[in-house]
Amino acid sequence: MMSHSVQSSAPLTQRFQPMTIVGLGPDWLQHSPDVMEKEKLSPTPSLPDKKLEVKLSAMPWFHGKISREQAEQLLNPKQDGLFLVRESTNFPGDYTLCVCFQGKVEHYRVKYKDNQLTIDDEEFFENLAQLVVHYEQDADGLCTQLIKSLPKKGKQDFCIDTKKFVEAGWVIHESQLELRESIGKGEFGDVMLGLLRGEKVAVKMLKDSSEAAQKFLTEASLMTSLRHENLVQLLGLVFNNKHIYLVTEFMSKGSLVDYLRSRGRLHVTKKDQINFAVDTCAGMEYLEWRKVVHRDLAARNVLIAECGSAKVADFGLAREENFTLDAGKLPIKWTAPEALRLAMFSNKSDMWSFGILLWEIYSFGRVPYPRIPLADVVKHVEKGYKMEAPEGCPPEVYEIMRLAWDLLPEKRPNFKDVKSKLVQLKATTL
């Protein structure tokens, strides 16, 4: 399983840990007069009115990669039933349950077998959280039942239970989905064109792996709470014995960056450009209002629908705002300096990325910082370097870019204000 590390007061790393999920009440889609007047859902196949949000819950007892000796040092004083879970050092991919009994620490191997976890090959569990709950209720062959967990200090981890998606109404029966051709590759596996009850949908297919499953379901869990006409809408998930499919609305015109590059100046009009800017900003304004940070906003992660509207996609790194991430695998040219240096992500770091995305729109999909080697981008940016306006870019749009690229996050504008400026500009764009 992979890891989502989180700090209690602040931020989430790029390892994706196990995740446990809690359904919330049916009225999770609240209405804020500001943002919600625009929050119309585009027609999508079979999206029930009342689906519940699927949330993550913590695994404070999971200590990740620590050795047998470190576990024994941490478990002090050795009260019967005091326990923690760590990654197995001898069997990568498995776990070890460490529990105190009669002044010693017993180490039980937790095997990953046929997509499930087991200690004794008799009781099987979907994730670590279920396994811990079982042995808290009954020793069931262990030296003692689990009585008290030893919480990990600092970053804590999470776990997901697929049954919660079932309970919250997000599961699509396999018989309702027909898979067609591959339309792309994603982080987790192929993205296929599908037909859901006769309507076109996009299907992200998960390669079989416990770690990837947790990361995949983390993205899905966040998407259960988000509905806006400028966000790609989750329609549901399919679970079978071998695969998990994440089903979203189908965006027939592909990614914004490919759309801009393939059509170029001849076919992409000023009106198209300002529409893409307004649409993306509206989706981001909604995320800002929901206190969700995207973390990977770029023209490659904005998709274009058949009608030409733009929608923000790819919530693989998105999190509620009090999470943080390792800067290891971040797209340097799109990521704000404080996020790269200090892993400080916020709606203001998303605004920096939005400035880069505006530059992409008005340069017809060029790669940002075209004449600077990747290794030198950060030092130039930290000295205050800002890209020049793309040829033909309206001065009002370039001014938004410059404000978005302020080195001080608090000085950057918010998405609500930027959207109103862009909407005004749209009204005068021919």
Side-chain angles (χ1 to χ4, degrees):
M1 302 210 184
M2 270 179 100
S3 326
H4 262 313
S5 309
V6 186
Q7 293 185 350
S8 22
S9 58
L12 189 140
T13 82
Q14 206 152 313
R15 275 170 52 81
F16 288 81
Q17 267 333 103
M19 316 259 159
T20 291
I21 297 195
V22 196
L24 293 186
D27 48 359
W28 50 264
L29 189 60
Q30 304 157 33
H31 288 271
S32 139
D34 267 350
V35 178
M36 292 303 178
E37 58 178 318
K38 296 289 183 201
E39 192 188 320
K40 306 182 293 294
L41 262 179
S42 37
T44 47
S46 70
L47 186 64
D49 293 335
K50 297 282 185 187
K51 281 181 174 171
L52 308 190
E53 180 178 354
V54 177
K55 273 235 171 210
L56 312 183
S57 65
M59 299 192 303
W61 33 259
F62 185 76
H63 287 245
K65 268 197 169 117
I66 60 168
S67 67
R68 181 187 183 101
E69 293 71 31
Q70 286 172 309
E72 294 187 356
Q73 285 168 8
L74 286 168
L75 289 164
N76 258 315
K78 294 184 170 32
Q79 303 162 317
D80 286 3
L82 181 68
F83 73 96
L84 62 79
V85 180
R86 60 183 172 87
E87 292 181 26
S88 171
T89 40
N90 297 333
F91 303 97
D94 288 353
Y95 301 95
T96 305
L97 170 62
C98 311
V99 57
C100 298
F101 186 61
Q102 295 182 347
K104 291 198 294 196
V105 179
E106 300 292 338
H107 299 264
Y108 293 93
R109 179 182 171 191
V110 180
K111 292 174 284 189
Y112 182 61
K113 188 173 176 182
D114 300 327
N115 289 324
Q116 291 187 304
L117 298 169
T118 183
I119 289 178
D120 56 9
D121 291 312
E122 290 179 14
E123 295 285 346
F124 289 85
F125 306 94
E126 187 184 332
N127 57 44
L128 287 173
Q130 289 179 5
L131 179 143
V132 165
V133 166
H134 175 80
Y135 290 107
E136 281 176 330
Q137 291 165 351
D138 184 350
D140 196 12
L142 302 187
C143 57
T144 173
Q145 74 188 92
L146 306 181
I147 295 167
K148 183 183 176 189
S149 71
L150 181 76
K152 183 185 176 192
K153 288 190 175 152
K155 296 177 178 180
Q156 293 198 342
D157 299 289
F158 287 79
C159 162
I160 281 189
D161 180 354
T162 56
K163 292 182 185 65
K164 297 294 182 183
F165 285 96
V166 179
E167 291 164 10
W170 286 98
V171 173
I172 294 167
H173 197 276
E174 204 173 2
S175 63
Q176 297 176 312
L177 183 68
E178 182 185 332
L179 292 177
R180 296 291 182 86
E181 68 271 17
S182 172
I183 52 175
K185 288 248 179 250
E187 181 186 355
F188 303 108
D190 287 338
V191 182
M192 309 287 289
L193 176 65
L195 286 178
L196 176 60
R197 296 184 274 278
E199 296 204 49
K200 286 182 179 178
V201 292
V203 183
K204 277 189 181 181
M205 304 179 71
L206 174 63
K207 298 168 191 158
D208 185 20
S209 137
S210 154
E211 293 181 352
Q214 295 305 315
K215 194 171 172 183
F216 195 71
L217 292 174
T218 306
E219 175 174 357
S221 70
L222 179 72
M223 289 181 77
T224 62
S225 72
L226 303 173
R227 292 194 185 192
H228 187 272
E229 61 176 345
N230 295 114
L231 300 184
V232 171
Q233 178 64 48
L234 175 68
L235 300 176
L237 295 101
V238 175
F239 296 108
N240 66 20
N241 294 334
K242 290 189 179 172
H243 299 290
I244 304 174
Y245 302 150
L246 188 149
V247 183
T248 64
E249 61 179 314
F250 175 61
M251 304 293 282
S252 63
K253 293 188 174 173
S255 78
L256 174 57
V257 73
D258 290 340
Y259 187 96
L260 293 164
R261 288 174 183 174
S262 60
R263 289 162 179 79
R265 290 177 190 276
L266 282 175
H267 300 289
V268 178
T269 66
K270 287 251 185 272
K271 197 81 177 160
D272 293 332
Q273 288 172 310
I274 191 66
N275 283 341
F276 295 150
V278 168
D279 287 352
T280 307
C281 195
M284 293 306 298
E285 179 197 16
Y286 172 76
L287 291 185
E288 178 178 73
W289 173 72
R290 290 294 310 272
K291 296 183 168 44
V292 169
V293 181
H294 189 285
R295 298 167 192 259
D296 196 14
L297 181 61
R300 64 182 169 276
N301 289 333
V302 174
L303 301 180
I304 308 299
E306 183 61 37
C307 64
S309 67
K311 304 191 184 203
V312 178
D314 208 328
F315 297 92
L317 298 184
R319 288 290 163 272
E320 291 173 347
E321 64 184 357
N322 60 334
F323 285 69
T324 197
L325 266 175
D326 277 345
K329 298 175 183 170
L330 294 166
I332 286 170
K333 290 185 172 186
W334 283 264
T335 304
E338 74 277 5
L340 288 172
R341 281 270 183 247
L342 307 167
M344 288 173 61
F345 289 84
S346 65
N347 298 119
K348 297 296 191 183
S349 59
D350 277 350
M351 175 51 71
W352 177 288
S353 305
F354 181 72
I356 304 289
L357 185 146
L358 283 178
W359 190 92
E360 291 183 276
I361 291 173
Y362 283 91
S363 64
F364 299 90
R366 286 186 76 187
V367 176
Y369 305 99
R371 284 176 291 283
I372 302 178
L374 185 62
D376 297 338
V377 168
V378 176
K379 69 180 181 200
H380 276 78
V381 163
E382 288 184 332
K383 286 178 184 167
Y385 173 79
K386 293 178 170 67
M387 287 187 287
E388 294 171 10
E391 187 187 334
C393 174
E396 300 92 333
V397 173
Y398 184 56
E399 179 57 22
I400 292 170
M401 292 181 208
R402 290 186 62 83
L403 292 170
W405 299 331
D406 197 300
L407 288 174
L408 296 171
E410 63 275 15
K411 287 197 168 181
R412 294 172 206 153
N414 60 38
F415 283 101
K416 183 172 182 243
D417 293 343
V418 167
K419 193 188 82 174
S420 55
K421 285 182 189 173
L422 290 170
V423 166
Q424 284 173 5
L425 186 60
K426 176 176 170 175
T428 60
T429 303
L430 302 172

